[in-house]
Amino acid sequence: MKSTNKIISVIFWLMASLHQSGAEDAQSSSPPTSLPGHLKPLASEATRLPVSVIQDFPSPYEFFRSYVYPSVPVIIKQGARRSPAFQKWTDEYLKNLPESQQLIRVEMRKVEERQLPRMNMPFAEFLDRYQTTDEYLVARVPDFLKKDVLIPPSLHCTNVTANLLETMLWVSSGGTKSHVHIDYVDIINCLFRGQKDFLLVNYTRYREQIVFDHPEGFYSSVDVERVDLNKFPGMRNLEFHEAKMQAGDCIYLPFKWIHQVNSFGSNVAVNIWWNHQAYVVPSPESCGKPDPGLSLADVSFPYHDQTNGDIQMDIHPELDFVRDPSATLTIFMDEKETDSLTEGQFLEYMDTILPRLELDDIWTEEALDAAQQIFLILDGDGDGKITSRDTDKFPVEINKFDSFSIKLGQKMMILGDIFDGQISKQKQEILRKLERDIPEDANTPPRDHSSKFRGTRDQTSMSKQEL
């Protein structure tokens, strides 16, 4: 558990590092009164584009080809109505469950403030009091409720369910306002009660503009009700995508998209997270016949189960490098039996920690330029190679935000984003070819209750090249 928390903090630190560099130079000379939206609610005077709406969950092939890999958010109207939770989860029903005496974690203030302490209390007690207090619930979906939430059909493939990470339950009386933040996973959020408004910003487009001043939580402390555009110049001139959800709707939030969420009325929602960087390709072999009864209870969630404290390191090996570049580079040099790394050898090291999935042309000119900038940061004495003279001077604590760490984190995130864009394009093309070869009825196969996907992590997976 300690290892997982430490790695999570590295992810948070990494995102903050990306945006903090150059923030001081972003200050505008415009007087405060002339800045559109200054000291007003977030996006109140910004361009707002509607998020696309579809009427049903698409096939896995279409979903990954049209939304996941192009990084396109989408609302699935009435997608949450499929789940028994939509009808069953009244407060009275939930309170009367024997398991409702289990402890859950409660947030103490609806306008998100992550520095405040949290309280643990029985689920039933929370349900008795949350409508008249400033409290709300954010917790892993308890095991006794998982059977009431169905897995979206777009995820009904063994190589997709094998990469599910976590599922979270949100309950409030409305009026909650989240920080501006990023989740480093793909998400489907399904709303069973109330309304939610999402303000989304394309991460890739603005990755060098927005400053996340809280590395421990992937978020900005900007007051979303009264945005100070002088203190947070990165919030200026953003183009937002707006999604207005009603009870029964689901929304897909792409990997790395910046978002801020407001809730209205009594609210109940569930998030499903999966590992984007597994880069799965749905196929007839992995998808088979969808099971309309497949629920959260039928699949595994490693973040939830905590069966592997190093699961996030397995997913993001580049984080170990950012956390301790001296140690990881030294290990690599020992393996290569060398006491220094040239730029070419450093690229070999990057190949070992960044996803590429056998994509031969991953090292584009843009990627090589980003890698060279990282090499120059590490080559502190400028002699054209990384040696112990350089690594001995690297910071040893990732929370110490010196210029070295800020620049390293920023350039690593840029390089990772370049790789992700390249790989995602490849996966889209594979899916286009795959769909052309799939018979028309294979996209909407007959429904079947005969199989569940529990334990799919141990089932035969696609080859690395297929993935």
Side-chain angles (χ1 to χ4, degrees), residues 317-334:
E318 72 274 19
L319 299 181
D320 199 25
F321 165 64
V322 176
R323 179 178 63 85
D324 193 346
S326 178
T328 52
L329 286 173
T330 299
I331 291 172
F332 182 76
M333 286 190 282
D334 288 345

Side-chain angles (χ1 to χ4, degrees), residues 55-342:
Q55 297 304 314
D56 199 2
F57 281 106
S59 70
Y61 320 106
E62 174 64 18
F63 179 62
F64 277 78
R65 181 179 67 81
S66 298
Y67 301 103
V68 175
Y69 289 128
S71 192
V72 175
V74 65
I75 295 174
I76 303 94
K77 291 298 293 182
Q78 307 305 316
R81 288 178 177 266
R82 301 174 57 257
S83 291
F86 181 75
Q87 296 289 343
K88 293 171 66 174
W89 281 8
T90 64
D91 287 354
E92 199 62 30
Y93 168 81
L94 295 172
K95 281 191 293 186
N96 287 332
L97 293 172
E99 299 90 343
S100 66
Q101 295 305 313
Q102 293 181 12
L103 295 179
I104 46 88
R105 184 184 69 178
V106 175
E107 306 284 340
M108 304 307 295
R109 187 167 179 258
K110 290 181 181 178
V111 177
E112 189 175 13
E113 177 50 71
R114 300 191 187 186
Q115 305 305 314
L116 292 176
R118 297 177 175 91
M119 178 185 297
N120 289 326
M121 68 176 66
F123 188 32
E125 180 182 343
F126 168 78
L127 293 168
D128 277 331
R129 56 190 280 174
Y130 81 102
Q131 295 283 7
T132 58
T133 67
D134 204 27
E135 300 164 354
Y136 70 102
L137 181 153
V138 182
R140 293 166 172 167
V141 176
D143 288 342
F144 65 90
L145 293 179
K146 286 181 177 179
K147 65 183 184 301
D148 292 338
V149 182
L150 299 182
I151 301 289
S154 300
L155 307 182
H156 280 208
C157 304
T158 56
N159 60 343
V160 178
T161 58
N163 285 287
L164 297 178
L165 296 175
E166 182 60 285
T167 179
M168 300 294 292
L169 172 66
W170 304 71
V171 182
S172 79
S173 60
T176 61
K177 296 179 182 293
S178 79
H179 285 301
V180 175
H181 67 286
I182 280 179
D183 294 303
Y184 211 67
V185 289
D186 279 311
I187 296 175
I188 288 180
N189 176 291
C190 290
L191 184 62
F192 299 119
R193 193 193 308 171
Q195 299 177 348
K196 283 188 186 293
D197 286 357
F198 285 76
L199 290 170
L200 312 174
V201 176
N202 187 322
Y203 160 79
T204 299
R205 180 175 177 181
Y206 295 102
R207 65 190 179 194
E208 302 202 48
Q209 180 172 336
I210 295 181
V211 175
F212 289 89
D213 59 338
H214 278 270
E216 75 281 8
F218 251 148
Y219 70 97
S220 168
S221 65
V222 62
D223 184 346
V224 297
E225 299 178 290
R226 198 168 182 269
V227 178
D228 188 331
L229 293 176
N230 288 309
K231 184 178 180 181
F232 296 93
M235 295 294 172
R236 302 177 190 174
N237 303 316
L238 296 177
E239 182 177 81
F240 288 83
H241 296 250
E242 185 175 39
K244 291 184 174 293
M245 292 179 65
Q246 304 294 324
D249 295 344
C250 296
I251 186 171
Y252 166 61
L253 298 175
F255 175 63
K256 299 181 306 186
W257 271 58
I258 301 162
H259 53 284
Q260 191 272 324
V261 189
N262 302 311
S263 68
F264 305 92
S266 184
N267 250 250
V268 177
V270 166
N271 276 353
I272 298 174
W273 300 352
W274 71 94
N275 176 21
H276 176 86
Q277 289 181 291
Y279 295 113
V280 298
V281 172
S283 70
E285 294 77 19
S286 70
C287 299
K289 296 180 180 181
D291 177 358
L294 188 71
S295 75
L296 300 182
D298 300 314
V299 296
S300 299
F301 296 93
Y303 281 14
H304 187 110
D305 300 334
Q306 292 295 329
T307 56
N308 182 355
D310 293 326
I311 184 70
Q312 293 197 35
M313 188 61 70
D314 295 338
I315 294 170
H316 303 291
E318 72 274 19
L319 299 181
D320 199 25
F321 165 64
V322 176
R323 179 178 63 85
D324 193 346
S326 178
T328 52
L329 286 173
T330 299
I331 291 172
F332 182 76
M333 286 190 282
D334 288 345
E335 291 174 350
K336 293 293 182 180
E337 297 183 347
T338 180
D339 57 4
S340 65
L341 291 179
T342 64

